[in-house]
Amino acid sequence: QQQVKQSPQSLIVQKGGISIINCAYENTAFDYFPWYQQFPGKGPALLIAIRPDVSEKKEGRFTISFNKSAKQFSLHIMDSQPGDSATYFCAASSANAGGTSYGKLTFGQGTILTVHP
Amino acid sequence: KAGVTQTPRYLIKTRGQQVTLSCSPISGHRSVSWYQQTPGQGLQFLFEYFSETQRNKGNFPGRFSGRQFSNSRSEMNVSTLELGDSALYLCASSKRGQDGYTFGSGTRLTVV
C-alpha cells in the first residue's frame, strides 16, 4: 500500500510547548521521509528529512524521530512559537525503477498546528 | 536566488475546456514534479520529469499530461476539464530528484 497516515488532524499548543505530529506508513520500500510546512497561499516548504539508517535527526527546534520496525516517524517542534502556526505534512518516497529519483512523494493528510501566544 | 515560479497564479476555466500551466524551476534544477492539492484528497502526485523525460507517473487519467523543455521549464495540460479538477496545482523542483524538493506557490485552478 502507498498510504501515509498522519495524526492528529489538528493540534493546539501553547507558546513554548512541544508540538508532536505522528505518521505511519505501510510500504517498506519507502526510504526517504521529509516533513513540509505550508502557510496559507504558499506551497509546502521542506523543513527536515530523514532516511531509515538513522533513528533521529535534529535541525534547530525541529526533530524527526524514526522507528523502522514500527514503520512510524514523528516530528517534534520544541519551544513552539506563534509563527510556527501552519499546516504540516509528512511524506514518504522510494527510488524509482532506475534508482535515480525520489520525486514521487506520498503525503499524509496534514496537521493544522495552532500555537497560542 | 529565485525560487520555483508558477504561472498563472489564478485561473478560471469552463467545464470541457483545456488548460496549460507553467513551471520554471530553480536555476540548475533538472527534476520537476507536479502535484494536485485539494481539501478532500490532499496532496497527490501527478508526474515527474527529468531531462525532458517522464520518470514517474501518478494515478491520474490521461487527461492530465505534462512535458519538460530543454531549459528544464515544465508545463502541464489538463484537457476536457471537469468540476473536480478545481484544485491548487503545485510544481516542485530538485537538482537531480535525489534531494529535497522546493515547491512553488502553485496555480489555483477553478473550473465552473
Side-chain angles (χ1 to χ4, degrees), chain B residues 1 14-15 20 25 27 32-34 39 44-45 52 59 62 69 75 78 82 86 95 97 100-101:
Chain B
K1 63 181 179 183
T14 303
R15 192 171 47 180
T20 299
S27 178
V32 173
S33 291
W34 288 88
Q44 293 188 289
F45 173 79
E52 302 178 67
N59 298 321
F69 302 95
E75 289 181 346
V78 188
E82 301 177 359
S86 294
K95 281 185 182 176
Y101 276 80

Side-chain angles (χ1 to χ4, degrees), chain A residues 109, chain B residues 37-43 86-88 108:
Chain A
Q109 285 298 102
Chain B
Q37 186 174 25
T38 60
Q41 298 298 316
L43 281 150
S86 294
L88 180 67
R108 172 75 62 185

Side-chain angles (χ1 to χ4, degrees), chain B residues 16-89:
Chain B
Q17 287 186 313
Q18 76 165 15
V19 67
T20 299
L21 312 181
S22 179
C23 172
S24 293
I26 291 173
S27 178
H29 285 195
R30 296 168 62 190
S31 171
V32 173
S33 291
W34 288 88
Y35 292 82
Q36 181 195 65
Q37 186 174 25
T38 60
Q41 298 298 316
L43 281 150
Q44 293 188 289
F45 173 79
L46 282 155
F47 27 67
E48 183 225 352
Y49 286 87
F50 181 84
S51 292
E52 302 178 67
T53 300
Q54 188 180 86
R55 281 202 302 202
N56 272 302
K57 190 176 187 305
N59 298 321
F60 278 80
R63 300 185 297 107
F64 292 81
S65 63
R67 60 177 175 168
Q68 187 180 34
F69 302 95
S70 58
N71 61 357
S72 295
R73 191 177 71 85
S74 178
E75 289 181 346
M76 68 163 282
N77 184 278
V78 188
S79 62
T80 319
L81 284 165
E82 301 177 359
L83 296 179
D85 296 333
S86 294
L88 180 67
Y89 289 88

Side-chain angles (χ1 to χ4, degrees), chain A residues 32 36 38 41-46 51 89 94 96-97 99-109, chain B residues 9 33 35 37 40-43 45 48 55-58 88 90 96-101 103-105:
Chain A
Y32 174 67
Y36 282 84
Q38 186 176 28
K42 300 290 186 182
L46 178 64
R51 293 195 185 268
F89 294 94
S94 59
N96 64 340
T100 55
S101 168
Y102 284 85
K104 183 178 180 178
L105 292 167
T106 299
F107 282 87
Q109 285 298 102
Chain B
R9 284 298 310 275
S33 291
Y35 292 82
Q37 186 174 25
Q41 298 298 316
L43 281 150
F45 173 79
E48 183 225 352
R55 281 202 302 202
N56 272 302
K57 190 176 187 305
L88 180 67
L90 292 158
R96 296 176 307 277
Q98 296 185 1
D99 42 14
Y101 276 80
F103 280 80
S105 293

Side-chain angles (χ1 to χ4, degrees), chain A residues 45-93:
Chain A
L46 178 64
L47 269 178
I48 186 172
I50 197 169
R51 293 195 185 268
D53 51 342
V54 295
S55 60
E56 186 174 283
K57 183 175 181 180
K58 183 176 180 179
E59 287 184 4
R61 296 185 293 110
F62 301 94
T63 300
I64 299 179
S65 296
F66 186 82
N67 186 329
K68 188 174 181 178
S69 61
K71 292 186 286 185
Q72 295 175 349
F73 57 111
S74 60
L75 176 70
H76 295 229
I77 305 174
M78 312 299 288
D79 187 26
S80 298
Q81 300 296 312
D84 296 331
S85 297
T87 301
Y88 291 80
F89 294 94
C90 63
S93 179

